[in-house]
Amino acid sequence: MAGLAASGSNPDVDLLYDINGLAKDAPEWFDRVMAYVGEYGLLIAMVLLVLWCWWSVRRRGGEDAAPSVAALVWAPLAAGLAVLVNVPIRGFVERPRPFLDHQGLDVLVSGKTDFSFVSDHATITMAMGVGLFVAHRRFGLFGIGLALLEGFCRVYMGVHYPTDVIGGFALGTAVTLLLSPVAAALLTPLTKAIERSPRAGWLIRSRKEPSYDGRDALVPGARAESADAAERDLAA
C-alpha cells in the first residue's frame, strides 16, 4: 500500500499540484499566514467555536440545555477518538508524504516525517464540526466550513494529498455520527446531574434564561416552546 498514488499520472496528484501551485504564485507573507492557519490557526478557531457554542447554549437554557452540552462535550472527544482510530489506518496504508514522492512541490512546513493517509488535521476539524452540527445547526455549519478550509490548507501547504483530506473528513464524520447515540446516552445523564448541582449548574445553564424556540437544536427532545405556548393559547 506504500505506493498508493505514488505515480504522478492520476487526478489525486494533478489536484495536489494545482492547489499547491497556488502557493508558488502567492506572496511569501501569504504563504506564512496559510502555513500558520493550516497548522494551528483553524484548530484554535474550532476550539473557540465550541466554547462560543457552549456559552450560547448555557445562556439559552431550557430543558434541552443538558443534552446540547452533552453533544458539545462529545465533539472534542469524538475528534480525539478519531485520531486514535487513524493510528492503525496510517500504519496499514503507509503512504509517504507527497513531497517525498513528487518533485516541485512548495512545502510550507518542515518536519513532517510520519505517514500521510489520513490527515489528522482534517479528521479532527471535521469530527468537531459534525459534533457541533449535532448540538447546534448554525454553529455546526460554520464548524464544517472551517474543516473544509483546513483540508484545503493541508493540500496548499504541500503536506497532504487531496485524498488524505477526504479520508480524514470521512473518518471524522463516521466516528462522530456512528458513536453519537452511545455518547449521548452516557454524557446526557452526567450533564443533567451537573445541571442539578447548586455549585456547578452554571456550566449547563445560566441563571437568566432568555426565550428560545429550539429551531437550531438537533439533539433529541428539542422542540419549539414558543409554538407550543401559542397552540395552548389558541386552544384556550
Side-chain angles (χ1 to χ4, degrees), residues 16-17 20-21 23-24 31-32 34-35 39 97-113 153-160:
L16 165 67
Y17 275 106
N20 181 255
K24 295 181 180 296
D31 284 347
R32 288 199 298 267
M34 288 292 286
E39 193 72 10
R97 294 282 180 169
F99 53 81
L100 297 178
D101 286 337
H102 304 284
Q103 302 295 322
L105 293 174
D106 192 5
V107 183
L108 303 186
V109 292
S110 59
K112 299 293 182 181
T113 58
C153 287
R154 302 308 288 177
V155 181
Y156 182 94
M157 293 159 60
V159 295
H160 280 294

Side-chain angles (χ1 to χ4, degrees), residues 1-2 4-6 12-13 15-16 86 89-90 93-99 101-102 105 114-126 147 150-152 154-155 158-172:
M1 300 293 287
L4 184 64
D12 194 22
V13 176
L15 188 57
L16 165 67
N86 188 29
I89 294 176
R90 282 194 169 196
V93 178
E94 294 185 343
R95 187 186 205 181
R97 294 282 180 169
F99 53 81
D101 286 337
H102 304 284
L105 293 174
D114 55 342
F115 293 123
S116 184
F117 186 90
V118 297
S119 167
D120 279 339
H121 282 72
T123 301
I124 292 171
T125 52
M126 186 56 75
E150 178 68 81
F152 176 83
R154 302 308 288 177
V155 181
V159 295
H160 280 294
Y161 294 95
T163 48
D164 296 339
V165 169
I166 294 173
F169 289 163
L171 177 60

Side-chain angles (χ1 to χ4, degrees), residues 114-230:
D114 55 342
F115 293 123
S116 184
F117 186 90
V118 297
S119 167
D120 279 339
H121 282 72
T123 301
I124 292 171
T125 52
M126 186 56 75
M128 294 184 71
V130 173
L132 269 172
F133 188 82
V134 172
H136 194 284
R137 183 179 289 109
R138 282 182 290 184
F139 278 97
L141 289 175
F142 192 66
I144 291 173
L146 290 180
L148 295 175
L149 180 58
E150 178 68 81
F152 176 83
C153 287
R154 302 308 288 177
V155 181
Y156 182 94
M157 293 159 60
V159 295
H160 280 294
Y161 294 95
T163 48
D164 296 339
V165 169
I166 294 173
F169 289 163
L171 177 60
T173 300
V175 169
T176 303
L177 293 183
L178 290 178
L179 297 180
S180 181
V182 177
L186 295 175
L187 293 173
T188 301
L190 176 61
T191 54
K192 286 184 176 180
I194 295 174
E195 183 180 26
R196 292 191 295 268
S197 170
R199 293 187 177 181
W202 65 271
L203 291 170
I204 307 301
R205 71 164 76 191
S206 174
R207 296 180 184 274
K208 298 179 180 179
E209 298 179 1
S211 59
Y212 173 66
D213 62 7
R215 287 176 297 177
D216 291 314
L218 298 184
V219 294
R223 69 176 186 270
E225 298 288 348
S226 61
D228 292 345

